Amino acid sequence: MTYMPASSKEDLYVSWGADAIGLPVQIAIIPWAADEPEPADADYHDATWDGTTGYARLLIGAETPVELAEGTYVVWTRLTAGTRRPVRRSGLLTVGTP
């Protein structure tokens, strides 16, 4: 699990591997729920690749389009590769006090 203060503004990194670099990638961060639904299309944000590392990244936090209140969130990522669209549950993010 990853932690960040609610006042922070930083990149969130999600590993996909070098084979995915160059494909369109999106990240969704949704509040954790016991039934854990998958995110809707509108929950995804366009992300970028961090050089040649195979990590997708998205700027999140204070004063960004993805401001998060204190709580626990599920991070999802998806790629678009031709007719394929793989989706991964990529981990948990705690915002606020760990």
Side-chain angles (χ1 to χ4, degrees):
M1 181 171 1
T2 303
Y3 162 78
M4 71 179 257
S7 62
S8 186
K9 178 180 181 179
E10 59 190 83
D11 286 316
L12 173 71
Y13 291 89
V14 178
S15 177
W16 269 88
D19 292 345
I21 294 172
L23 296 172
V25 61
Q26 296 177 307
I27 297 176
I29 305 167
I30 61 171
W32 180 87
D35 59 356
E36 198 172 306
E38 285 192 35
D41 283 340
D43 294 324
Y44 282 94
H45 304 274
D46 291 335
T48 59
W49 292 105
D50 183 45
T52 60
T53 65
Y55 281 85
R57 71 176 176 205
L58 178 67
L59 184 63
I60 62 171
E63 300 176 11
T64 74
V66 189
E67 287 195 49
L68 301 169
E70 290 190 10
T72 301
Y73 296 85
V74 181
V75 178
W76 294 80
T77 55
R78 72 180 180 189
L79 300 176
T80 301
T83 60
R84 295 181 176 93
R85 186 172 243 182
V87 175
R88 288 188 186 165
R89 182 184 182 274
S90 301
L92 295 176
L93 171 65
T94 299
V95 176
T97 306

